[in-house]
Amino acid sequence: LTGGYGLTFITVFAGSLLVVLLYYREKLKIKGTIFISTLILSLFLFPVLYYNIIKDSYSIKKNILISAVHPGIKQKERWKSQFYETHFNIYKQQTRLTIQKYGSRNHVVIWPETALTYPFNSKPLLKKKLLEYAKDNSLNLVFGAPQYKGIGVSRRYYNSAFFMLSGKMHAVKYNKKYLLPFAEKKVSIVGLQKSGNGGYYTAGDKLAVQMINGVKSHVVICYEIGVSHLIKKIKNKGVSLLINISNDAWFGDGSESAQQLSLMSLRCMEYGLTAVRSTGYGKAAIVNINGKMLAKTGINERVILTKEMQVKTRNTVFSRYGLWFILLSVLYLLFYFLFNSKMLKIMKKSHI
């Protein structure tokens, strides 16, 4: 209803009211205490009532079988060239297992961000092997890998997502738009990842909506899941399925993976989207339009997360009107302080 910003505002506002209630209850008297108590309860009860009204309000786009490959590859091994083919074979083996079990029809397999850590167009032999494997299995595959464009000093590297549909490489690619400072951006002082590209990427400038098994889909890479206005633009393109790919092995067994997953749940609730998350090391998950996790992995598990599900979508108040609650709150506060300052002046002049 109000989005993450509104949720923060309500939490702080309710906390402030609770402080007033506890510390000034003698001055408030009975009427003031009842009023503030009712206001606090309303702040928490209204969202619950709203959720119960809208939770069964949605449109079903299509049934789809989704597999998020979760290889559990540690960061210290991930970028070493001697492991390129080893890691590639891990992804192939996990994909083969899920295809053997569930088949390839209406089946979408997701590999994480930089699943292939080398620029995809720089290793023709491995690229050929992947294309042949995808063709032989009529594979629908979404995977992350760097790529470069240009030659010499004009060469630019991108953190990209690629699409293989029915075993064929699709021309549409998504280049990450919002790069992490000090890791992916050109302004980086210390390049945290070593993929032969100097430690930085160039930001993409376009969205890349892709029709996968009859469902409008879009990839967001890593912390782009936290960029609310990007998700709004994607939603406005008619997208129903959000695919979040991430390489969160940087952060080991810490809380970062859970934070990204929480952001994805929040985006699903805000914009009424179904989402799937594939990671190389941290938690992968499938989340519905109510932000509920239908399936998830742990950290550092070598598993395949597979679920047949209905891709649902809904138009929410937040997806239509954005930060309306924040703007109304700001206007209210401005009016409140303006009104009170005028009243104080009148009271001073009248010697009240």
Side-chain angles (χ1 to χ4, degrees), residues 275-291:
V276 56
R277 170 176 164 81
S278 177
T279 68
Y281 187 83
K283 294 179 179 179
I286 296 170
V287 179
N288 70 9
I289 57 173
N290 296 320

Side-chain angles (χ1 to χ4, degrees), residues 164-188:
M164 286 185 173
L165 304 177
S166 300
K168 297 178 182 178
M169 179 64 74
H170 203 275
V172 175
K173 302 174 187 68
Y174 174 67
N175 299 323
K176 187 177 181 182
K177 289 169 66 71
Y178 294 90
L179 301 173
L180 289 174
F182 303 108
E184 295 176 317
K185 282 188 177 181
K186 193 172 182 178
V187 295
S188 176

Side-chain angles (χ1 to χ4, degrees), residues 65-302:
L65 183 64
I66 297 176
S67 290
V69 171
H70 192 260
I73 297 171
K74 294 183 178 180
Q75 181 71 2
K76 65 181 181 181
E77 297 177 357
R78 188 177 182 85
W79 298 96
K80 293 180 179 179
S81 58
Q82 64 263 39
F83 291 113
Y84 282 171
E85 191 148 7
T86 301
H87 294 161
F88 175 70
N89 287 331
I90 289 171
Y91 284 108
K92 274 182 63 178
Q93 182 183 16
Q94 285 190 286
T95 303
R96 186 182 294 112
L97 288 172
T98 191
I99 292 297
Q100 286 174 352
K101 186 173 182 179
Y102 298 100
S104 59
R105 184 177 175 80
N106 291 329
H107 193 171
V108 182
V109 178
I110 316 292
W111 292 3
E113 175 191 11
T114 55
L116 309 180
T117 50
Y118 50 84
F120 187 57
N121 47 355
S122 71
K123 301 286 182 183
L125 184 59
L126 289 177
K127 182 178 179 180
K128 183 181 178 183
K129 285 183 180 179
L130 180 57
L131 288 168
E132 287 175 350
Y133 175 73
K135 185 178 179 181
D136 291 343
N137 293 277
S138 297
L139 188 62
N140 295 311
L141 175 67
V142 180
F143 67 95
Q147 66 164 327
Y148 60 76
K149 296 178 182 178
I151 58 174
V153 293
S154 64
R155 176 167 287 181
R156 296 290 181 267
Y157 289 85
Y158 299 88
N159 187 354
S160 303
F162 296 82
F163 303 88
M164 286 185 173
L165 304 177
S166 300
K168 297 178 182 178
M169 179 64 74
H170 203 275
V172 175
K173 302 174 187 68
Y174 174 67
N175 299 323
K176 187 177 181 182
K177 289 169 66 71
Y178 294 90
L179 301 173
L180 289 174
F182 303 108
E184 295 176 317
K185 282 188 177 181
K186 193 172 182 178
V187 295
S188 176
I189 297 171
V190 179
L192 296 183
Q193 61 184 24
K194 304 297 181 184
S195 58
N197 60 6
Y200 63 84
Y201 294 115
T202 299
D205 57 0
K206 295 178 181 178
L207 297 182
V209 177
Q210 182 63 62
M211 190 68 75
I212 302 176
N213 287 358
V215 177
K216 269 192 176 183
S217 311
H218 200 286
V219 171
V220 287
I221 299 176
C222 196
Y223 265 110
E224 286 188 320
I225 194 66
V227 184
S228 186
H229 59 270
L230 172 63
I231 310 302
K232 182 176 176 62
K233 289 178 182 177
I234 290 169
K235 171 74 175 182
N236 290 341
K237 294 287 185 181
V239 167
S240 303
L241 178 63
L242 197 61
I243 300 170
N244 178 217
I245 59 175
S246 180
N247 165 32
D248 51 11
W250 290 10
F251 303 93
D253 297 335
S255 61
E256 180 275 343
S257 179
Q259 290 170 8
Q260 275 199 38
L261 193 50
S262 297
L263 286 170
M264 188 169 82
S265 286
L266 187 59
R267 295 292 94 84
C268 289
M269 287 187 283
E270 284 178 345
Y271 294 101
L273 295 167
T274 302
V276 56
R277 170 176 164 81
S278 177
T279 68
Y281 187 83
K283 294 179 179 179
I286 296 170
V287 179
N288 70 9
I289 57 173
N290 296 320
K292 182 180 178 181
M293 293 181 199
L294 304 177
K296 71 174 182 177
T297 71
I299 294 175
N300 192 23
E301 289 183 303
R302 185 162 292 176

